[in-house]
């Protein structure tokens, strides 16, 4: 056999072995990368599970739900005291109403006065939004004693009470721009500045959070019952 031919053949075999080894190494590298990615993904899942089971986060969530529940119970208690709606009272009810709640807004009105009807409309809109404050109205014609006692001379007259004491008032529309077409928000801002109501965020969102948490609690309880069976 020609020596040169043998040398060429051996050289080709050696090159083939090198390429085969390189292919095997490349395949091993791909497998290693796939394993590393799979391991990283598993670690991420574990970390997420650990985060979900974090006792501090669970406590924060439980505290938040407890606070929302307490606030909901407080609102319900206030509604039983006449909060959350704009109600008409009589002179005989007056003292009990203004001393029975910490914050009270009372509108002294006349049934024939157009501006009193405008004030009624705005107060009626605000009452359900600001449950912490009681909103009531009293016919001035039928309450001569308190009209005199509180020096009510111009209607509409909205008097602000704190713990049964008259602390401020809104006479007519003089602090609302003096016009009949003022927005409810203008009256709301005035009352916020007087400290008798507070600026509110969307309470529906909190109610949704509370309701959803209650549903989750029920589902969780049901799952535990099922597991115990």
């Amino acid at each position: 056999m020609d020596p040169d031919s043998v040398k060429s053949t051996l050289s080709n075999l050696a090159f083939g072995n090198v390429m085969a080894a390189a292919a095997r190494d490349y395949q091993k590298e791909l497998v290693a990368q796939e394993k590393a990615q799979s391991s990283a993904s598993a670690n991420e899942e574990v970390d997420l599970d650990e985060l979900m089971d974090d006792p501090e986060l669970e406590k924060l969530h439980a505290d938040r739900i407890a606070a929302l529940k307490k606030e909901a119970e407080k609102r319900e208690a206030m509604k039983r005291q006449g909060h959350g709606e704009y109600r008409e009272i009589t002179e005989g009810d007056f003292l009990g109403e203004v001393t029975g709640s910490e914050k009270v807004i009372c509108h002294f009105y006349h049934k024939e006065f157009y501006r009193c009807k405008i004030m009624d409309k705005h107060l009626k809109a605000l009452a359900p939004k600001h449950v912490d404050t009681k909103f009531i109205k009293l016919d001035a014609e039928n309450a001569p004693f308190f009209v005199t006692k509180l020096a009510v001379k111009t209607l509409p007259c909205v008097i602000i009470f704190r713990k049964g004491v008259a602390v401020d008032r809104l006479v007519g529309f003089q602090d609302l721009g003096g016009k009949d077409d003022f927005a409810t928000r203008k009256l709301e801002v005035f009352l916020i500045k007087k400290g008798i109501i507070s600026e509110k965020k969307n309470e529906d969102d909190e109610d949704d959070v509370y309701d959803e948490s209650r549903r989750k609690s029920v589902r969780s309880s049901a799952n535990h019952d099922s597991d115990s069976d």
Side-chain angles (χ1 to χ4, degrees), residues 32-46:
Q33 287 179 358
E34 289 178 359
K35 287 183 177 179
Q37 290 176 355
S38 177
S39 176
S41 177
N43 288 337
E44 287 178 1
E45 291 178 1
V46 169

Side-chain angles (χ1 to χ4, degrees), residues 71-90:
E71 184 62 26
E73 290 172 349
K74 179 182 175 183
R75 287 203 302 267
E76 288 303 315
M78 286 187 164
K79 286 179 180 179
R80 289 193 292 270
Q81 295 176 0
H83 292 236
E85 58 180 334
Y86 182 48
R87 299 179 294 111
E88 180 156 12
I89 63 169
T90 66

Side-chain angles (χ1 to χ4, degrees), residues 98-164:
V98 298
T99 59
S101 298
E102 181 179 349
K103 296 185 291 184
V104 179
I105 294 172
C106 183
H107 173 207
F108 284 82
Y109 79 100
H110 190 289
K111 59 186 177 182
E112 300 297 335
F113 288 6
Y114 178 66
R115 282 196 163 187
C116 290
K117 294 177 182 179
I118 294 174
M119 185 62 72
D120 276 342
K121 178 187 71 172
H122 294 300
L123 291 174
K124 184 177 181 180
L126 291 175
K129 186 177 178 182
H130 298 277
V131 181
D132 289 350
T133 302
K134 182 184 290 183
F135 287 74
I136 54 178
K137 66 177 184 175
L138 181 59
D139 188 337
E141 274 194 317
N142 296 324
F145 177 81
F146 289 110
V147 165
T148 302
K149 191 74 173 176
L150 295 167
V152 176
K153 298 178 180 179
T154 302
L155 301 177
C157 180
V158 176
I159 301 183
I160 294 170
F161 293 87
R162 277 189 174 275
K163 297 181 179 179

